[in-house]
Amino acid sequence: MSDRLKGKVALVTGGASGIGRATCLLFAREGAKVVVADRNQPGGTETVRLIHQKAGEAHFVQVDTSNATQVEGMVRQTVERFGRLDVLLTAAAILIITPPLAESSERDWDMTMDIDLKGVFLSMKYAIPEMLRGGGGSIINISSVSGIRGNVGSVAYGVAKAGIIHLTTIAAEQYTAKGIRVNCVAPGPVDTPQMRGSTGSTEEFRRVEASVPMKRAARPEELANAILFLASDESSYVSGVTFSVDGGQRAAAK
Ligand SMILES: NC(=O)c1ccc[n+]([C@@H]2O[C@H](COP(=O)([O-])OP(=O)(O)OC[C@H]3O[C@@H](n4cnc5c(N)ncnc54)[C@H](O)[C@@H]3O)[C@@H](O)[C@H]2O)c1
């Protein structure tokens, strides 16, 4: 264990799987007390078990991040359990592949906006007062390369992910002077259940990988490393940025 987050309390939404889980494990290795928040209880308790196995400290909270009462409870339980809140990672999201705009449904739009955009807003809304009480903090939101250059696979997902970038900028404007740094990570394809689900077949997965200059999807741990930098004091002069972690995909965009 190293000590880049020693003494800090981190809350990770979407901690049951993929990028969220990899980040929970890394945060705990770096000395943070971690609250693993997710609607998936078996996955969340497994993340906690993996942390405990390495002698780290973690606690699971079941939450639907689109529900304000539950999100408020998630933050309250974090402070009750570990006394403070220093780091928030908002990784909970869904990706519903939809037909082009005119054929896509209002239901898919609403569900995606509720979880992927409102869920991030609510998590920040309830976390910020606790961070202010503790003297500051670091918030890391997860957008996507789809939030920068659109996404043919889902209208609502691309718009929600673009919204997260704007939400990050606005929150950074409002809270950096008060000691809270707010940043965003924009991943390209990452080998997680979400990407395996959205690509549907091994063939399509390989096609997406081939579209990246590095010719592969990221490992979730590669995202966790970037997120750790933004969470820790190593990025003490960084706020309001969107950090692309995409194998060069954005640079290669036509
Ligand atoms: N995998 C990729 O290729 C990729 C690319 C760009 C951006 N992202 C983003 O990275 C983040 C993490 O994605 P991932 O690939 O690790 O996905 P994942 O599906 O492995 O994990 C997402 C987690 O969020 C949880 N979740 C979903 N809805 C929730 C809700 N309403 N309340 C609480 N928890 C909820 C799920 O249970 C799951 O554990 C997401 O914001 C995703 O959009 C992923």
Side-chain angles (χ1 to χ4, degrees):
M1 192 187 284
S2 161
D3 286 338
R4 277 180 284 180
L5 294 179
K6 192 174 164 61
K8 297 203 195 264
V9 175
L11 169 58
V12 177
T13 73
S17 176
I19 298 167
R21 173 180 282 170
T23 307
C24 287
L25 300 182
L26 182 59
F27 278 3
R29 275 212 312 278
E30 293 293 336
K33 293 173 185 160
V34 180
V35 170
V36 179
D38 206 292
R39 64 182 179 184
N40 170 357
Q41 178 160 29
T45 49
E46 174 60 9
T47 303
V48 168
R49 190 191 68 78
L50 291 167
I51 291 172
H52 287 165
Q53 202 178 45
K54 302 271 181 191
E57 280 191 72
H59 175 65
F60 174 66
V61 174
Q62 189 165 27
V63 66
D64 174 352
T65 54
S66 65
N67 179 308
T69 309
Q70 292 186 27
V71 173
E72 189 177 11
M74 165 185 86
V75 172
R76 195 178 49 246
Q77 285 184 62
T78 301
V79 176
E80 278 169 9
R81 180 77 183 207
F82 291 134
R84 52 186 294 116
L85 176 57
D86 303 287
V87 175
L88 170 69
L89 169 67
T90 60
I94 54 166
L95 168 55
I96 306 170
I97 299 297
T98 56
L101 193 152
E103 291 95 54
S104 62
S105 72
E106 183 182 354
R107 181 179 170 275
D108 286 350
W109 173 272
D110 286 345
M111 205 189 301
T112 303
M113 286 299 156
D114 275 358
I115 295 175
D116 292 6
L117 189 53
K118 190 174 85 175
V120 176
F121 160 73
L122 291 174
S123 301
M124 294 169 79
K125 174 178 164 57
Y126 291 107
I128 284 170
E130 288 306 333
M131 290 183 170
L132 291 174
R133 252 188 286 283
S138 174
I139 296 174
I140 306 100
N141 298 319
I142 306 196
S143 176
S144 166
V145 79
S146 321
I148 297 170
R149 50 175 253 207
N151 178 357
V152 286
S154 169
V155 181
Y157 182 82
V159 174
K161 291 299 184 182
I164 287 174
I165 294 174
H166 214 58
L167 194 54
T168 300
T169 310
I170 292 170
E173 258 172 50
Q174 295 180 343
Y175 292 102
T176 302
K178 296 181 173 149
I180 302 176
R181 297 184 298 104
V182 190
N183 293 294
C184 179
V185 167
V190 188
D191 190 354
T192 68
Q194 185 191 86
M195 191 202 165
R196 293 274 171 183
S198 67
T199 48
S201 65
T202 309
E203 211 171 55
E204 177 61 9
F205 184 87
R206 298 275 172 255
R207 195 195 60 72
V208 173
E209 286 197 307
S211 72
V212 179
M214 290 190 188
K215 302 295 175 210
R216 64 176 180 85
R219 288 175 287 107
E221 293 74 20
E222 291 176 289
L223 270 298
N225 286 331
I227 294 163
L228 172 64
F229 169 70
L230 293 172
S232 76
D233 294 341
E234 286 173 11
S235 60
S236 52
Y237 204 59
V238 182
S239 192
V241 307
T242 295
F243 185 1
S244 290
V245 183
D246 64 0
Q249 202 177 26
R250 189 179 167 196
K254 306 280 181 294

